[in-house]
DNA sequence: CACACTTA
DNA sequence: TAAGTGTGG
């Protein structure tokens, strides 16, 4: 589930976005896997059943991707999605851990359904949700039809996003996870792909969720550490490459330790008999120099209405009226915020 | 999560 | 205009 830096981010390093239009004209690289997974888990009936077409194929991820992307475009934000490639070898333990969680949740889901506990069923359905290759494939196809660029990462999407933002080809990365900060993304937007109101788990209370920007430079300044040291902190708390972290060390102690001992060598000496599934040096190296591709281009194109209709209405039984309305909004947003601004003089005279 | 519609 | 409800696929 990524690195949990939540309790370490000082208020001063965060900037709450009151209105998405504040990001007008900015290019944002969205972690596609993270976004799709969120839609897949969130867009469900009360008992946990996802949206499905007449052939029983799940469509929750497509619904979320479609409408949310249009929303983002209407606010003048230029989205690009990045998708994970082959997970690195050092992630094996985390992947196995997730598989186990899904498996257990799947059993509990069936049980909950049997005893008629709708709320529990929903929770376990969310936990057992798996994003398949087919779902990702469908999502890419839909993005193509919408004219939205997507990038295939070599390995970690968050690493690729960080690279693109670092190079200045985009303004920020967007994900619920903090990993892109460790990979060096200068700016991370959280809560971009979730709506304004969200139900607190297990409570019948709704809270306002607003997008927020975390600036890496400010974060490091406020914490008084370097990016390398932030990676050490993550290592102590737990990352995808050592999911259990170090026993007995939470965010607070981790930061203390890193500030006290400063170098990885000394930090490791301060926590003797700690075992790591992967050598810590190797994990640090991966965050500092992950495999990325330089072969990408960010280009927005005119949406192709008939292709969109083909995918959503014909293949997946979306309501034609709803899709038509949404495409109208999409085309309008494209013309207002994207085409006009990326047209050079050349296009004007042709 | 988001749309479409209702309610006040 | 804001918030509540039912439903989407």
């Amino acid at each position: 589930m990524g690195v949990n830096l939540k309790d370490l981010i000082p208020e001063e390093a965060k900037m709450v976005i009151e209105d998405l239009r504040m990001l007008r004209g900015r290019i944002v690289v969205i972690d596609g896997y993270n976004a799709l997974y969120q839609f897949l888990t969130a867009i469900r009936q009360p008992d946990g059943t996802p949206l499905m077409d007449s052939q029983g194929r799940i469509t929750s991820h497509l619904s979320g991707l479609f409408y949310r992307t249009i929303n983002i475009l209407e606010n003048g934000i230029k989205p690009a999605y990045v998708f994970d490639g082959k997970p690195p070898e050092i992630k094996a333990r985390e992947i196995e851990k997730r598989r186990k969680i899904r498996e257990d949740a799947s059993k509990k889901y069936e049980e909950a359904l049997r005893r008629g506990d709708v709320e529990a069923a929903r929770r376990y359905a969310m936990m057992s949700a798996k994003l398949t290759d087919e779902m990702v494939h469908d999502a890419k196809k839909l993005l193509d039809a919408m004219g939205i660029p997507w990038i295939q990462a070599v390995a970690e999407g968050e690493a690729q996003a960080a690279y693109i933002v670092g190079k200045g080809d985009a303004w920020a990365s967007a994900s619920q996870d903090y990993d892109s900060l460790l990979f060096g993304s200068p700016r991370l937007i959280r809560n971009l792909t979730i709506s304004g109101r969200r139900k607190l788990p297990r409570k019948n209370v709704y809270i306002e969720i607003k997008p927020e920007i975390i600036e890496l430079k400010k974060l490091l300044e406020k914490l008084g550490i370097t990016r390398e040291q932030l990676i050490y902190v993550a290592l102590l708390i737990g990352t995808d490459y050592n999911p259990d972290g170090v026993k007995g060390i939470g965010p607070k102690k981790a930061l203390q330790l890193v500030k006290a001992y400063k170098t990885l060598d000394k930090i490791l000496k301060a926590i003797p008999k700690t075992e790591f599934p992967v050598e810590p040096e190797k994990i640090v190296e991966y965050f500092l120099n992950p495999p990325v591709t330089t072969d990408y281009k960010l280009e927005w194109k005119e949406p192709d209405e008939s292709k969109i209709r083909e995918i959503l209405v014909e293949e997946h039984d979306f309501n034609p009226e709803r899709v038509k309305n949404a495409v109208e909004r999409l085309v309008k947003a494209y013309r207002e915020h994207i085409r006009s601004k990326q047209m050079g003089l050349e296009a004007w005279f042709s």
Side-chain angles (χ1 to χ4, degrees):
Chain A
M1 292 307 294
V3 195
N4 188 10
L5 296 181
K6 190 175 64 148
D7 298 329
L8 271 178
I9 314 279
E11 285 304 315
E12 302 94 318
K14 275 189 242 173
M15 156 108 170
V16 174
I17 306 167
E18 295 295 335
D19 189 329
L20 272 189
R21 283 175 296 188
M22 284 162 67
L23 302 181
R24 178 163 304 202
R26 308 286 197 198
I27 297 175
V28 174
V29 189
I30 302 171
D31 179 352
Y33 183 94
N34 190 267
L36 292 184
Y37 188 76
Q38 273 190 90
F39 299 138
L40 177 64
T41 53
I43 304 180
R44 278 162 194 269
Q45 291 172 356
D47 71 349
T49 312
L51 301 187
M52 288 181 289
D53 63 23
S54 56
Q55 304 198 40
R57 293 173 300 197
I58 293 178
T59 54
S60 297
H61 60 302
L62 294 178
S63 178
L65 180 67
F66 182 55
Y67 293 115
R68 190 62 201 171
T69 302
I70 293 173
N71 224 290
I72 287 169
L73 285 160
E74 283 181 315
N75 283 283
I77 301 167
K78 296 161 86 170
Y81 286 84
V82 56
F83 290 98
D84 286 339
K86 188 177 181 307
E89 204 54 56
I90 55 174
K91 205 177 183 176
R93 200 188 178 89
E94 168 72 12
I95 291 169
E96 174 55 22
K97 197 176 172 178
R98 289 184 196 176
R99 194 194 59 75
K100 183 88 172 52
I101 289 172
R102 278 200 306 272
E103 203 175 77
D104 293 348
S106 186
K107 283 184 202 132
K108 288 181 177 168
Y109 170 64
E110 301 293 341
E111 283 166 26
L113 270 188
R114 266 198 296 277
R115 65 171 190 272
D117 187 341
V118 174
E119 267 183 55
R122 187 173 213 278
R123 277 203 310 278
Y124 291 126
M126 288 169 74
M127 285 170 69
S128 57
K130 163 113 172 88
L131 197 60
T132 66
D133 290 348
E134 191 188 358
M135 291 181 198
V136 174
H137 177 82
D138 279 352
K140 289 171 177 173
K141 241 174 56 178
L142 179 59
L143 289 172
D144 282 338
M146 294 174 76
I148 307 296
W150 57 268
I151 298 130
Q152 180 59 57
V154 180
E156 299 282 21
E158 302 245 18
Q160 184 67 43
Y163 176 80
I164 294 168
V165 182
K167 264 194 75 180
D169 289 333
W171 188 74
S173 54
S175 175
Q176 290 310 95
D177 292 343
Y178 296 92
D179 299 50
S180 68
L181 291 172
L182 299 184
F183 285 118
S185 176
R187 222 170 273 104
L188 165 66
I189 303 176
R190 299 190 70 244
N191 304 338
L192 183 68
T193 50
I194 60 177
S195 76
R197 269 167 45 114
R198 188 190 236 193
K199 193 173 172 292
L200 241 48
R202 290 163 174 278
K203 287 181 209 148
N204 226 350
V205 185
Y206 286 85
I207 48 159
E208 273 281 316
I209 303 263
K210 286 177 186 162
E212 61 188 27
I213 304 167
I214 299 164
E215 216 162 317
L216 179 59
K217 191 160 166 278
K218 232 182 253 172
L219 173 65
L220 296 175
E221 266 168 28
K222 290 293 164 194
L223 294 180
I225 55 176
T226 64
R227 170 153 72 109
E228 279 84 346
Q229 289 172 328
L230 183 65
I231 297 170
Y232 306 158
V233 171
L235 213 58
L236 296 172
I237 303 171
T239 71
D240 280 351
Y241 316 122
N242 66 320
D244 301 328
V246 177
K247 218 176 155 195
I249 297 186
K252 256 181 130 175
K253 269 194 189 169
L255 182 62
Q256 263 177 17
L257 224 61
V258 169
K259 292 183 87 159
Y261 294 101
K262 297 197 171 55
T263 66
L264 183 59
D265 247 17
K266 287 180 185 157
I267 294 164
L268 292 177
K269 277 184 190 130
I271 47 163
K273 8 178 234 245
T274 303
E275 289 192 21
F276 289 87
V278 179
E279 302 89 284
E281 292 82 1
K282 207 167 164 183
I283 298 176
V284 172
E285 167 59 21
Y286 194 81
F287 278 121
L288 290 176
N289 290 303
V292 291
T293 179
T294 56
D295 179 25
Y296 60 84
K297 55 176 185 292
L298 304 180
E299 247 176 32
W300 291 264
K301 302 199 177 97
E302 178 100 26
D304 184 334
E305 170 154 21
S306 71
K307 258 194 207 153
I308 293 172
R309 204 176 44 227
E310 204 177 291
I311 297 168
L312 294 180
V313 179
E314 276 142 51
E315 279 180 46
H316 293 296
D317 307 314
F318 277 57
N319 181 311
E321 197 86 7
R322 276 194 178 199
V323 170
K324 190 169 172 289
N325 282 336
V327 169
E328 241 163 64
R329 287 167 47 206
L330 170 62
V331 171
K332 185 160 175 271
Y334 171 79
R335 293 190 177 156
E336 249 169 55
H337 300 294
I338 296 185
R339 188 183 62 180
S340 57
K341 272 145 197 147
Q342 72 182 12
M343 257 203 322
L345 285 179
E346 206 182 314
W348 263 99
F349 288 110
S350 67

